Amino acid sequence: MTPPDILVRIAERRRERIGGAAHDLPEGEPVFDNPFVAALRSKDPAIIAEVKMGSPRLGSLHGRVDPLKQAKLYAENGAAALAVVVEPDLFHGDYELLTLCKEASGLPAIAKDFVVDPIQLAWAARAGADAVLLIAAMHDTEALASYARMARGLGLVPLIETHGADDVAKLLGEPWEIVGVNNRDLRTFEVDLQHSISLVPSLPRGALRVAESGIKDAFDLLMLRESGFDAFLIGESLLLAPDPGAKLRELTGQP
């Protein structure tokens, strides 16, 4: 299956910005003692709370969201880890944002980018990321495994994002620390939690399983948790909440 048009467009923009020849980085073995992995294993439920400064649907959030205040609120109200969207063109982010949010929160952080060149992994490591997102739909099986090994060579744990059975099939035969399922269809932007739940039995054994996107309330989280997900990446429902701290406490079952 070909990647959704939006992934193709974003990948083209990332390549244009990076320019030049592809970069090579040293490869490493799976890392299970990474701070990001440890944080997800230490909390129940483990919420990866997202900071982003915009999206294709929302436009720019600059002036509407204070990212450092948001990151601090996440840490104070029970988040296990931080996700920071660093793509600059459609999501209005950058790697400095990750550095600042991680420092403000003290939480381990994952860089959410659309990786098309290994140099982006180096940028993530330099910014202080503990993990990096790799979107399976953007790569063939061999390239995905190679990017994961290069991330590990920099001390980053790869979170492999899948959207369907074709993506999950690319994971066969490799060890994986964290595998995510995006609840949002990138072609229609519709959210279907049941579709994600149906993929749980086919996810690699031994990997932490992360439900991503479209989680609105404690009921959604409980349903996904009971279906076998270990952690939950939550963005807009926290980011746009009138009281993000209260929303996070609701999701984690805190008073």
Side-chain angles (χ1 to χ4, degrees), residues 15-77:
R15 291 189 184 96
E16 289 171 3
R17 274 187 174 265
I18 294 166
H23 302 77
D24 290 319
L25 296 173
E27 297 187 352
E29 296 299 317
V31 281
F32 292 97
D33 57 351
N34 174 282
F36 191 82
V37 175
L40 299 191
R41 293 192 184 281
S42 69
K43 292 238 179 185
D44 186 18
I47 292 181
I48 308 165
E50 185 175 88
V51 173
K52 64 182 175 185
M53 297 311 299
S55 75
R57 293 194 311 116
L58 298 174
S60 174
L61 295 175
H62 284 278
R64 296 168 57 191
V65 170
D66 181 335
L68 303 191
K69 180 180 178 182
Q70 199 84 6
K72 289 179 183 177
L73 281 172
Y74 291 159
E76 292 167 357
N77 290 279

Side-chain angles (χ1 to χ4, degrees), residues 23-240:
H23 302 77
D24 290 319
L25 296 173
E27 297 187 352
E29 296 299 317
V31 281
F32 292 97
D33 57 351
N34 174 282
F36 191 82
V37 175
L40 299 191
R41 293 192 184 281
S42 69
K43 292 238 179 185
D44 186 18
I47 292 181
I48 308 165
E50 185 175 88
V51 173
K52 64 182 175 185
M53 297 311 299
S55 75
R57 293 194 311 116
L58 298 174
S60 174
L61 295 175
H62 284 278
R64 296 168 57 191
V65 170
D66 181 335
L68 303 191
K69 180 180 178 182
Q70 199 84 6
K72 289 179 183 177
L73 281 172
Y74 291 159
E76 292 167 357
N77 290 279
L82 200 65
V84 182
V85 183
V86 299
E87 191 279 331
D89 292 312
L90 295 178
F91 292 84
H92 307 275
D94 55 51
Y95 285 93
E96 183 183 6
L97 178 66
L98 184 146
T99 302
L100 295 173
C101 287
K102 182 176 176 179
E103 290 175 351
S105 67
L107 294 173
I110 182 170
K112 288 192 67 178
D113 200 353
F114 297 81
V115 174
V116 296
D117 189 292
I119 194 64
Q120 292 164 273
L121 306 178
W123 292 342
R126 195 177 307 145
D130 304 283
V132 64
L133 185 76
L134 296 175
I135 300 174
M138 295 179 66
H139 307 288
D140 62 27
T141 301
E142 183 178 348
L144 185 63
S146 177
Y147 272 114
R149 290 192 293 266
M150 285 187 283
R152 293 168 184 140
L154 295 168
L156 301 168
V157 65
L159 190 168
I160 311 301
E161 178 176 298
T162 65
H163 295 86
D166 290 345
D167 291 341
V168 174
K170 296 176 184 180
L171 307 182
L172 297 175
E174 289 279 338
W176 302 103
E177 301 91 335
I178 315 176
V179 175
V181 179
N182 196 327
N183 301 309
R184 180 171 283 116
D185 186 319
L186 293 182
R187 290 178 173 82
T188 65
F189 291 101
E190 293 180 359
V191 171
D192 184 356
L193 301 187
Q194 291 300 327
H195 172 71
S196 299
I197 289 169
S198 72
L199 291 177
V200 171
S202 60
L203 297 180
R205 291 185 178 182
L208 286 169
R209 293 160 294 193
V210 182
E212 306 174 41
S213 302
I215 301 171
K216 296 179 181 178
D217 52 35
F219 176 80
D220 285 349
L221 191 148
L222 179 62
M223 180 172 62
L224 291 163
R225 186 179 178 190
E226 290 182 343
S227 300
F229 284 100
D230 305 297
F232 312 89
L233 198 159
I234 302 176
E236 290 180 15
S237 63
L238 287 174
L239 201 65
L240 303 179

